């Protein structure tokens, strides 16, 4: 083997590895994440807030922010109950939740959001249970300001029409295009 | 020369068809744009199989370099070519066109460059083999069998200077590709778990 190309190859490879190692310290998501974090987690500063090395996302790290007590205080009673049942059944967070599918993606697995994720920006809500109570596969509407506003809105914003929002709001803005 | 042009058109068409088919398969098995196949358990299995095939493609250059140095083997060269196409095709199924993290994107670019340089090498190899037809005639006159002539010509092509220079493109790119692949797999295991 010719020594010069071998030396050059080794130098280039070491340089690439060093650049990746250096960049990983200040922009790990750009180098390693399979997709952008959702709007719910976009303020997280480091990968190890959720990921345990060689074990993946760990429930023990989720509950640092999403403790049972905090869930009971902030979430609707049905949501807190369903989480308690899930945990009691020995299922981890990843049984129902996912991440890295983009800022507007839903992070709860299961039936797709029938309104589309634009609903959260349009109504300035952040979760299904801001407007709905979902229990045993059935949902009922809460009597919130948002729900009342949509119910009293003009035809285009009536329930059942919202999934078609991008027909008028083509660029995702509040103004009609 | 017409035959060489035909080979180039054939190889280019096969590459385009393979990549298109791989992306179509990935799209078919992805559950919507936010649930790509590559992020599922099945997508990981496809990635591992693709990587194993690519590892098999490396048997040929390793056999040539590591002691005991084996003579030029056309059979292993065929394995090298087949796995060097089938493995990357599966990696395209694994990746789809969902390019986000820089490390796997760089690994994918390196893989494409390795395969393209391999195809260029194949064309050079074919062109040199054609130019050695005079030597083929001489070997025929000396009474060698067809198989013996093929082996001898392959060995001669490997010694031609142009082929030697080309190997300094294909080899280092392959080394870079292996490095980036190891980083990608290590990163996926580190963040995603086993």
């Amino acid at each position: 083997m010719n020594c010069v190309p071998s030396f050059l190859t080794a130098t280039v490879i070491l340089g690439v590895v060093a650049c990746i190692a250096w960049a990983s310290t200040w922009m790990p998501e750009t180098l390693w994440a399979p997709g952008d974090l959702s709007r719910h987690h976009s303020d997280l500063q480091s990968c190890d807030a959720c990921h345990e090395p060689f074990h993946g996302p760990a429930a023990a790290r989720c509950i640092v922010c999403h403790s049972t007590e905090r869930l009971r205080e902030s979430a609707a009673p049905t949501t807190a109950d369903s989480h308690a049942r899930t945990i009691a059944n020995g299922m981890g967070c990843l049984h129902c939740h996912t991440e890295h599918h983009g800022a507007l993606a839903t992070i709860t697995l299961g039936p797709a959001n029938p309104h589309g994720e634009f609903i959260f920006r349009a109504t300035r809500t952040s979760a299904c249970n801001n407007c709905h109570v979902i229990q045993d596969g059935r949902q009922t509407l809460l009597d919130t300001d948002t729900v009342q506003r949509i119910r009293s809105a003009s035809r285009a914003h009536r329930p059942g029409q919202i999934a078609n929002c991008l027909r008028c709001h083509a660029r995702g803005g509040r103004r009609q295009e | 020369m017409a035959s060489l042009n035909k080979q180039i058109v054939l190889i280019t068409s096969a590459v385009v068809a393979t990549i298109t088919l791989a992306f179509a398969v990935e799209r078919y098995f992805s559950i919507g744009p936010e649930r790509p196949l590559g992020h599922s358990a099945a997508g990981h299995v496809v990635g591992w199989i693709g990587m194993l095939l690519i590892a098999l493609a490396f048997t040929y250059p390793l056999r040539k370099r590591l002691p005991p140095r084996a003579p030029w083997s056309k059979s292993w060269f065929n394995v090298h070519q087949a796995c060097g196409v089938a493995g990357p095709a599966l990696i395209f199924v694994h990746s789809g066109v969902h390019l986000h993290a820089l490390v796997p994107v760089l690994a994918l670019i390196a893989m494409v460059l390795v395969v393209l340089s391999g195809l260029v090498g194949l064309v050079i190899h074919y062109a040199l083999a054609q130019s050695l037809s005079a030597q083929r005639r001489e070997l025929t006159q000396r009474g060698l069998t067809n198989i013996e002539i093929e082996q001898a010509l392959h060995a001669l092509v490997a010694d031609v200077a142009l082929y030697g220079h080309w190997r300094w493109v294909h080899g280092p790119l392959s080394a870079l590709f292996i490095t980036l692949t190891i980083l990608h797999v290590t990163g996926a295991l580190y963040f995603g778990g086993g």
Side-chain angles (χ1 to χ4, degrees):
Chain A
M1 260 196 191
N2 190 330
C3 289
V4 175
S6 296
F7 176 75
L8 272 177
T9 306
T11 307
V12 169
I13 287 173
L14 279 174
V16 169
V17 172
C19 283
I20 289 173
W22 170 69
S24 295
T25 60
W26 55 279
M27 50 179 205
E29 195 178 353
T30 307
L31 273 96
W32 302 101
D36 287 332
L37 284 169
S38 72
R39 62 200 176 282
H40 307 290
H41 294 132
S42 55
D43 57 337
L44 289 175
Q45 295 297 312
S46 85
C47 305
D48 60 15
C50 306
H51 292 266
E52 197 167 303
F54 298 106
H55 287 94
R61 301 196 180 207
C62 300
I63 61 169
V64 171
C65 298
H66 304 282
S67 65
T68 312
E69 293 74 28
R70 194 175 157 191
L71 196 66
R72 206 170 283 139
E73 286 165 14
S74 59
T78 49
T79 309
D81 289 347
S82 71
H83 278 88
R85 274 201 308 276
T86 307
I87 293 164
N89 288 336
M91 290 185 278
C93 308
L94 291 180
H95 188 79
C96 301
H97 295 291
T98 181
E99 251 300 352
H100 288 295
H101 296 297
L104 289 178
T106 179
I107 60 167
T108 303
L109 300 169
N113 176 358
H115 303 306
E117 288 300 305
F118 184 69
I119 188 75
F120 295 116
R121 280 170 67 190
T123 59
R124 294 180 181 170
T125 52
S126 59
C128 307
N129 57 24
N130 290 152
C131 297
H132 301 272
V133 176
I134 303 169
Q135 194 162 26
D136 302 326
R138 299 180 65 180
Q139 71 87 21
T140 48
L141 273 170
L142 292 166
D143 191 25
T144 63
D145 289 347
T146 304
V147 172
Q148 283 176 9
R149 195 171 68 244
I150 292 172
R151 279 189 152 163
S152 62
S154 60
R155 191 170 168 270
H157 291 104
R158 298 282 298 171
Q161 300 295 317
I162 294 172
N164 300 322
C165 53
L166 290 176
R167 281 189 189 165
C168 301
H169 303 280
R171 293 179 193 172
R174 291 176 73 82
R175 286 182 58 189
Q176 194 169 323
E177 297 290 331
Chain B
M1 213 44 160
S3 176
L4 182 63
N5 288 338
K6 198 175 156 189
Q7 287 280 326
I8 293 172
V9 171
L10 200 69
I11 287 171
T12 310
S13 309
V15 167
V16 172
T18 305
I19 294 174
T20 309
L21 181 68
F23 284 159
V25 170
E26 191 275 340
R27 177 112 191 226
Y28 181 78
F29 286 106
S30 291
I31 308 166
E34 288 166 357
R35 300 283 188 280
L37 175 71
H39 296 184
S40 67
H44 293 159
V45 170
V46 172
W48 283 115
I49 296 171
M51 205 180 80
L52 280 176
L53 285 177
I54 290 169
L56 199 58
F58 279 96
T59 314
Y60 168 72
L62 286 176
R63 269 176 63 88
K64 282 204 303 181
R65 287 180 174 84
L66 296 177
R69 289 193 178 198
W72 181 282
S73 161
K74 203 183 172 191
S75 307
W76 278 110
F77 184 55
N78 288 338
V79 170
H80 178 73
Q81 290 175 86
C83 290
V85 171
L90 285 179
I91 295 299
F92 275 123
V93 174
H94 168 72
S95 75
V97 283
H98 310 283
L99 310 174
H100 190 271
L102 196 58
V103 172
V105 168
L106 288 175
L108 197 71
I109 292 170
M111 184 190 80
V112 169
L113 292 176
V114 170
V115 175
L116 285 180
S117 68
L119 293 172
V120 169
L122 201 63
V123 171
I124 294 173
H125 184 277
Y126 189 79
L128 290 175
Q130 275 194 330
S131 75
L132 291 169
S133 58
Q135 274 157 308
R136 178 189 288 275
R137 278 197 296 277
E138 190 192 320
L139 292 168
T140 312
Q141 282 166 3
R142 277 164 48 189
L144 271 70
T145 66
N146 276 342
I147 295 168
E148 286 169 335
I149 290 169
E150 280 297 320
Q151 297 281 357
L153 287 178
H154 275 289
L156 285 169
V157 169
D159 289 339
V160 173
L162 176 63
Y163 208 62
H165 292 317
W166 166 81
R167 278 163 57 192
W168 283 115
V169 175
H170 194 55
L173 277 175
S174 303
L176 184 63
F177 167 53
I178 296 168
T179 308
L180 288 166
T181 302
I182 290 170
L183 285 177
H184 165 53
V185 172
T186 308
L189 292 174
Y190 181 85
F191 291 113

